[in-house]
């Protein structure tokens, strides 16, 4: 079975950093697209960042420069390095994966419902 397991969340002071991880397993042919989404308290789920199989990455405009996505293909692990964290970054962060994609699908995928798999999330809390 395919599983995505997020880790690395926690409580951090404003201005601090965290690195989230997402361990992927069970993919027969790997993933063509992996992404991070987040849901802040009382708000809708929003897209954070995506990365394609070849390493091309994409970011929400307001997060570019503070967040960095990368992946270790050998370990089947996705990462999200988050720096200069703000209280408004407080959210549950979800990892998601697309198994079959083509063209600009990964670059344009903003809805987690469009991804093939998702994890259960990890809570990030930023104190002011």
């Amino acid at each position: 079975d395919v599983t995505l397991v997020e880790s690395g969340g926690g409580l951090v002071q404003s201005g601090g950093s965290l690195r989230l991880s997402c361990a992927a397993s069970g993919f027969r042919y790997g993933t063509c697209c992996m992404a991070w989404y987040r849901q802040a308290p009382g708000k809708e789920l929003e897209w954070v960042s995506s990365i394609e199989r070849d390493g091309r990455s994409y970011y929400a405009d307001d997060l570019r420069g503070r967040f960095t996505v990368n992946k270790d293909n050998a370990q089947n692990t996705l990462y999200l390095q988050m720096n200069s964290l703000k209280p408004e970054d407080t959210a549950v962060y979800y990892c998601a994966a697309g198994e079959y994609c083509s063209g600009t699908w990964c670059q344009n995928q903003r809805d987690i419902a469009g991804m093939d798999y998702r994890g259960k999330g990890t809570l990030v809390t930023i104190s002011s």
Side-chain angles (χ1 to χ4, degrees), residues 42-54:
K43 295 189 177 181
E44 294 186 354
L45 201 65
E46 65 173 348
W47 172 74
V48 173
S49 178
S50 299
I51 187 166
E52 302 206 43
R53 192 195 307 270
D54 62 7

Side-chain angles (χ1 to χ4, degrees), residues 19-81:
R19 188 176 80 155
L20 305 183
S21 300
C22 172
S25 63
F27 290 94
R28 186 172 182 181
Y29 301 110
T31 60
C32 58
C33 179
M34 296 191 76
W36 290 100
Y37 297 80
R38 69 182 184 182
Q39 187 166 26
K43 295 189 177 181
E44 294 186 354
L45 201 65
E46 65 173 348
W47 172 74
V48 173
S49 178
S50 299
I51 187 166
E52 302 206 43
R53 192 195 307 270
D54 62 7
R56 285 178 292 169
S57 57
Y58 313 100
Y59 298 91
D61 288 342
D62 58 345
L63 300 178
R64 186 178 292 111
R66 292 196 300 122
F67 288 15
T68 302
V69 64
N70 55 53
K71 61 191 177 92
D72 183 333
N73 289 327
Q75 297 295 325
N76 294 320
T77 302
L78 177 72
Y79 299 100
L80 184 68
Q81 177 67 42

